[in-house]
Amino acid sequence: MAHSQAFRSIAVAILGPVALCTQAFMAQAGQDYALVGPTVVKKLNLETVYNHSTSGLSLIKADRRVLENISRHAHEERRCGGYELVTLSHPLNTLKSKAEVEGLFSRLPEARQKASKTQNRTGDVPQFSQAIADTLTEVSADRIKEDITWISSYPTRYHRSETKNVHVDELKKRLAEVAKASSFASVEEVIHSGNKTEQKTVRARLLGSQAPNEIVVLGAHFDSIRKGLFPGRKPAPGADDDASGSSNLIEIFRILSKGPQPQRTIEFMWYAAEEVGLVGSAEVAGAYAKEKKDVVGVLNLDMTLFPGSGTLAFGVVTDFTSPWLTNYIKELNRHYTKAKVIDTECDYACSDHATWHRLGFPAAFPSEATFSQSNKNIHTQNDVIDSKSDFNHSAMFARLGLAYAMSLGNSRHRGP
Ligand code: BES
Ligand code: ZN
């Protein structure tokens, strides 16, 4: 390729400040492609090589005559240049270029996406898929029971106990065993740099085949607490809060790591130190915001074992969450899990969805029951597996999370 340098040069900002307009006329041959807005594509009937639905922007071949035409048009309309030159390092229509082009769009500032006229303001809605319905039958309530039994058997998972990372290391080992059999799965630990906790977060990743820079997140907290004096020295089994959500994620990871490889990257997180102020998720989400990662959705699973609002019912938290993603979850429930969904509020930043939400990422939080009907034994030595524990209820959340990962992970779906 003539222009195969591994860099991407950007000459003009679309609808950018007037100062940049002059550069539109400096368009040179030697740039591979140009990003253009929907108005210009329509008006000049441009041939596009890629269309990005969320932003309404398109990629065109950077032919000198076409670019001059765009500039002239922009000039006549008294508007700025109307394109952005980009150099791609891979030939179009190869797998690598797809990822590169997706990455290019995913880094577009939100403001620019919002300026788009073609944007779907309510966000995308999932359709029914037989392939997803078939995969959901693989979820095993027995395996979830085994995992909740294992995780709640540690005397405590409190982030400042002497054994703060014993269960974390064991989880990482077990997940690595699962990932070993997959060509696109990996597992790592996140060491928290702040001085708030020495407990680690575990992150498992299924690398996306088409849009690896677009990330679908599923999270649960892997710590526990026993409220009162000496929270680290007394039993804190945390079976419901949150061995249950943690086990749901393990089950989803197990099933999805077998393939097929998802189009987007799917990340699973077992957060450290949620019970002392959302510490683990705050640091992870903060780093993602700083790195401008393109997180398309965050699903939080925290407490799924106690069917306090009935066996075929659950709560969905409507504060500190995204209305789009919450509706997305409701639609998935309509297609697959078919439970009664009851809107509920925590009234405060009650779990890890809130940290993502605060940083501008779309988050959703379906939970075992309405807030007032949820398990009252949490944070005590009585948060154990007992006669009220319902593993089928918990498995419903694994199915919901699996449907979420498959729908959002294999589509271009986005929020508004
Ligand atoms: N799982 C709870 C939050 C929760 C409780 C959700 C009941 C739904 C129903 C979570 O682990 C927790 O305990 N959160 C803390 C707040 C956090 C910021 C320390 C809480 O609710 O006190
Ligand atoms: Zn808790």
Side-chain angles (χ1 to χ4, degrees), residues 55-351:
S55 61
L57 299 178
S58 300
L59 205 60
I60 60 166
K61 280 226 171 90
D63 176 85
R64 192 191 175 101
R65 277 186 7 239
V66 173
L67 295 186
E68 279 171 3
N69 202 8
I70 296 173
S71 293
R72 200 175 316 118
H73 159 77
H75 208 63
E76 281 161 14
E77 301 277 320
R78 292 168 174 269
R79 281 180 51 200
C80 196
Y83 60 85
E84 175 171 337
L85 292 174
V86 294
T87 302
L88 300 175
S89 41
H90 303 286
L92 260 192
N93 297 324
T94 60
L95 265 185
K96 276 188 176 161
S97 85
K98 262 191 185 158
E100 197 183 5
V101 170
E102 290 296 347
L104 185 70
F105 284 99
S106 71
R107 280 190 295 273
L108 287 169
E110 217 178 293
R112 193 179 295 173
Q113 297 196 5
K114 283 208 174 111
S116 155
K117 286 190 185 130
T118 61
Q119 189 196 8
N120 171 5
R121 293 206 170 269
T122 54
D124 295 316
V125 179
Q127 303 302 309
F128 177 81
S129 146
Q130 191 55 49
I132 293 179
D134 291 345
T135 309
L136 297 195
T137 64
E138 292 182 38
V139 168
S140 157
D142 286 344
R143 257 191 322 246
I144 289 167
K145 181 179 182 180
E146 273 172 35
D147 283 335
I148 298 177
T149 307
W150 156 54
I151 297 165
S152 62
S153 71
Y154 294 95
T156 182
R157 305 188 300 281
Y158 184 63
H159 85 120
R160 275 197 178 136
S161 65
E162 279 173 21
T163 55
K164 54 179 131 328
N165 279 314
V166 172
H167 58 292
V168 178
D169 292 337
E170 178 62 23
L171 172 68
K172 195 190 153 201
K173 205 176 100 193
R174 291 186 183 205
L175 294 172
E177 201 56 42
V178 174
K180 230 167 62 179
S182 170
S183 61
F184 53 88
S186 59
V187 182
E188 65 191 334
E189 60 188 25
V190 179
I191 295 167
H192 293 289
S193 56
N195 53 9
K196 292 196 182 110
T197 190
E198 286 177 4
Q199 194 169 57
K200 295 174 287 187
T201 287
V202 176
R203 177 168 52 213
R205 182 176 288 126
L206 305 173
L207 188 68
S209 59
Q210 312 277 312
N213 294 333
E214 298 177 15
I215 307 170
V216 177
V217 172
L218 294 93
H221 70 88
F222 207 49
D223 66 324
S224 71
I225 195 169
R226 200 271 201 202
K227 287 270 166 77
L229 281 180
F230 308 115
R233 291 209 215 136
K234 302 227 176 96
D240 192 7
D241 187 12
D242 181 29
S244 62
S246 298
S247 300
N248 297 153
L249 291 201
I250 297 171
E251 181 68 356
I252 299 167
F253 181 66
R254 255 194 214 117
I255 293 168
L256 288 182
S257 65
K258 290 191 288 187
Q261 184 174 9
Q263 292 172 10
R264 283 171 162 161
T265 292
I266 301 176
E267 290 189 352
F268 301 79
M269 308 189 182
W270 289 265
Y271 306 113
E274 185 267 356
E275 296 287 14
V276 291
L278 318 176
V279 173
S281 64
E283 206 172 302
V284 174
Y288 280 32
K290 210 169 157 197
E291 293 164 35
K292 297 195 163 42
K293 288 204 184 187
D294 184 17
V295 176
V296 289
V298 179
L299 182 74
N300 185 41
L301 290 181
D302 186 3
M303 299 171 65
T304 66
L305 189 58
F306 176 74
S309 299
T311 45
L312 224 97
F314 66 85
V316 66
V317 174
T318 56
D319 56 348
F320 302 91
T321 53
S322 147
W324 161 68
L325 197 60
T326 301
N327 183 59
Y328 198 92
I329 295 300
K330 286 180 178 175
E331 283 294 298
L332 292 174
N333 171 68
R334 202 169 60 78
H335 292 319
Y336 308 109
T337 40
K338 301 183 196 303
K340 181 179 168 197
V341 185
I342 311 162
D343 284 357
T344 189
E345 289 182 358
C346 282
D347 264 340
Y348 61 100
C350 68
S351 186

